[in-house]
Amino acid sequence: MLEAVKSSKNEIIFSAKQSDEKKKTVDETRILPNNYSTRTAQKFQKTSSAFLDYPIKGLKGDVNSNFYEFLTMGIVPYLAGSATFMFVFNAVNKHLNLFEKEKASTYGKKMALGVVLYGLMKNISKSLVTKPVKMATGVDVEMPYENIVYPLPKNAGEEANIEVQHQQRKVFDSKEFYRKDLLQREYFDNVASKLGLGDNLNDSISETSPIIQNIVATSNTAKSLSSYCWAAVGVGLAVQDSWLDFFGSISNRKKYTAPKDANFFKKFKDWNVNAIKNITKSTVSFVKSFGNAFIQMWKGKEGSFFSKHTGKILITFAKLATTFLTANTIIRAKNMAKNKNKDTIDRNKKTTVI
């Protein structure tokens, strides 16, 4: 809210009330810090909404059901399919004899682990592209923001619902229509400086926008192709025999049995201590097995050329693909900036057209 204020020179100026100026609420679209906690919170909110909220709204024909919610629900068949895949390879074990059951159980656990490592490597590997691109160009294509949407009235004559909707999005979700309005002038100045366009440009936003759009397009393609290469590596890691130690540590974890005369608080404390020990032991075993699986995959197995060198080829291809695709994104951006600098106009100075 604005209020008129008279200055000492009887000039009328407008200033925002101090309380309004300092007021910050959660109900405003804003950029979020790109860190692990933000990514985890966004993923949790999108996943829970995709299962619990968005399908119900869509089936009811809610006027506020939108394309963002439709895309977010894509995680439902992904997780459902992954769970089904795990179940298929482990559900029939109880119908087998002891020898076959042991072999099928090991194979089923590896298949389940393959699903987990597929998704894990696919998501983690994206940083192998986006981090170097950000360092070289200043453009963080994974920059998150929380979009606040005010719902429309559901019926004619009905007042709009004041309960806002939260959408977990990224500033560069769209190449053509990325959220420039959320970025400060300093952001574009930093990008221009990193690209070699110069410092203190009169209009760094216009100068950098075409290059930023190119960076978004090429880096999105790069991280998509690269992530599937590393997802394949994840599946290859899951079938290595080093995971037998990890599976054994889970099967042999100690179960806490409370004494009959123990009170509730002692039972709860001892149960927590035992749970922490089991989790720690399983985590250490997982990290150790992961490292050994990488070594086994790289060395391969004695026998044919395929069994001995497939792991090396797959890992090397993933590395080279990531390096090439990332370099392509950075080089293209630098070349675009270099070509702009060939113009005869000095962008650091004001010019007048006669």
Side-chain angles (χ1 to χ4, degrees):
M1 182 176 180
L2 296 178
E3 61 176 356
V5 181
K6 287 189 177 181
S7 69
S8 58
K9 295 183 180 180
N10 295 324
E11 296 173 341
I12 297 178
I13 60 175
F14 288 89
S15 63
K17 284 186 176 180
Q18 188 175 7
S19 59
D20 290 342
E21 197 171 273
K22 293 183 178 180
K23 185 180 179 182
K24 297 291 183 183
T25 67
V26 294
D27 295 337
E28 60 180 4
T29 297
R30 65 198 186 280
I31 292 179
L32 302 174
N34 189 2
N35 53 36
Y36 177 77
S37 60
T38 297
R39 291 191 293 271
T40 302
Q42 282 196 317
K43 183 68 71 175
F44 176 79
Q45 195 273 336
K46 292 180 73 172
T47 303
S48 59
S49 296
F51 278 92
L52 303 176
D53 298 332
Y54 300 159
I56 297 173
K57 287 177 62 179
L59 291 172
K60 286 183 177 180
D62 195 319
V63 68
N64 292 299
S65 184
N66 52 45
F67 191 60
Y68 165 82
E69 296 177 0
F70 167 75
L71 292 178
T72 302
M73 284 191 293
I75 196 172
V76 175
Y78 179 83
L79 293 179
S82 298
T84 302
F85 188 83
M86 294 181 188
F87 176 78
V88 166
F89 281 94
N90 291 277
V92 298
N93 290 356
K94 61 183 179 180
H95 301 293
L96 304 175
N97 60 45
L98 185 62
F99 177 73
E100 292 176 337
K101 182 178 180 179
E102 184 177 353
K103 291 184 65 178
S105 177
T106 300
Y107 186 75
K109 289 176 181 177
K110 287 183 177 181
M111 290 297 100
L113 183 62
V115 173
V116 174
L117 290 183
Y118 175 91
L120 189 65
M121 296 289 284
K122 185 173 180 289
N123 283 280
I124 292 177
S125 62
K126 293 178 180 179
S127 297
L128 298 176
V129 174
T130 58
K131 294 294 184 183
V133 169
K134 180 184 176 182
M135 292 175 61
T137 66
V139 179
D140 182 8
V141 296
E142 296 291 318
M143 185 186 297
Y145 79 97
E146 187 173 53
N147 189 44
I148 304 302
V149 179
Y150 291 87
L152 298 170
K154 295 182 180 179
N155 301 307
E158 184 180 76
E159 291 186 4
N161 188 357
I162 60 173
E163 185 178 351
V164 299
Q165 298 175 356
H166 298 256
Q167 297 179 348
Q168 308 303 327
R169 312 190 69 162
K170 296 176 183 176
V171 172
F172 299 103
D173 273 343
S174 171
K175 183 189 75 169
E176 291 82 5
F177 306 106
Y178 66 89
R179 294 298 301 269
K180 290 183 184 180
D181 57 307
L182 298 178
L183 301 172
Q184 301 294 326
R185 169 69 182 270
E186 290 75 12
Y187 180 84
F188 295 96
D189 289 341
N190 178 60
V191 172
S193 178
K194 283 184 173 291
L195 291 173
L197 288 172
D199 300 320
N200 302 317
L201 302 183
N202 290 325
D203 189 4
S204 58
I205 298 177
S206 297
E207 294 291 340
T208 58
S209 285
I211 305 177
I212 289 176
Q213 290 176 333
N214 182 270
I215 292 171
V216 172
T218 53
S219 61
N220 282 342
T221 301
K223 69 181 181 181
S224 180
L225 295 175
S226 172
S227 65
Y228 281 109
C229 291
W230 287 108
V233 172
V235 174
L237 291 172
V239 300
Q240 304 303 315
D241 292 336
S242 64
W243 293 107
L244 296 177
D245 295 334
F246 173 66
F247 298 147
S249 69
I250 295 177
S251 301
N252 298 327
R253 61 182 182 273
K254 294 182 179 179
K255 295 182 180 181
Y256 171 68
T257 303
K260 293 182 179 180
D261 58 341
N263 58 43
F264 172 79
F265 295 103
K266 186 178 187 306
K267 289 180 181 179
F268 186 74
K269 178 183 176 182
D270 291 345
W271 182 88
N272 277 310
V273 170
N274 186 71
I276 292 173
K277 287 181 179 179
N278 284 331
I279 292 173
T280 303
K281 181 181 178 182
S282 297
T283 302
V284 172
S285 178
F286 179 87
V287 173
K288 184 178 179 180
S289 296
F290 185 88
N292 290 334
F294 194 91
I295 295 172
Q296 286 182 358
M297 185 176 175
W298 180 262
K299 289 183 177 180
K301 296 181 179 179
E302 294 297 332
S304 64
F305 177 88
F306 180 82
S307 60
K308 187 171 179 61
H309 298 288
T310 300
K312 290 188 182 72
I313 295 172
L314 187 57
I315 294 172
T316 302
F317 180 78
K319 289 181 178 179
L320 292 177
T322 303
T323 303
F324 172 79
L325 293 168
T326 305
N328 175 66
T329 301
I330 297 171
I331 292 171
R332 279 181 176 274
K334 297 285 187 180
N335 284 339
M336 287 184 69
K338 186 177 180 181
N339 290 333
K340 274 183 171 290
N341 280 335
K342 290 181 179 179
D343 296 341
T344 56
I345 297 176
D346 188 348
R347 296 178 180 78
N348 292 309
K349 297 180 181 179
K350 293 183 178 180
T351 58
T352 303
V353 180
I354 300 176

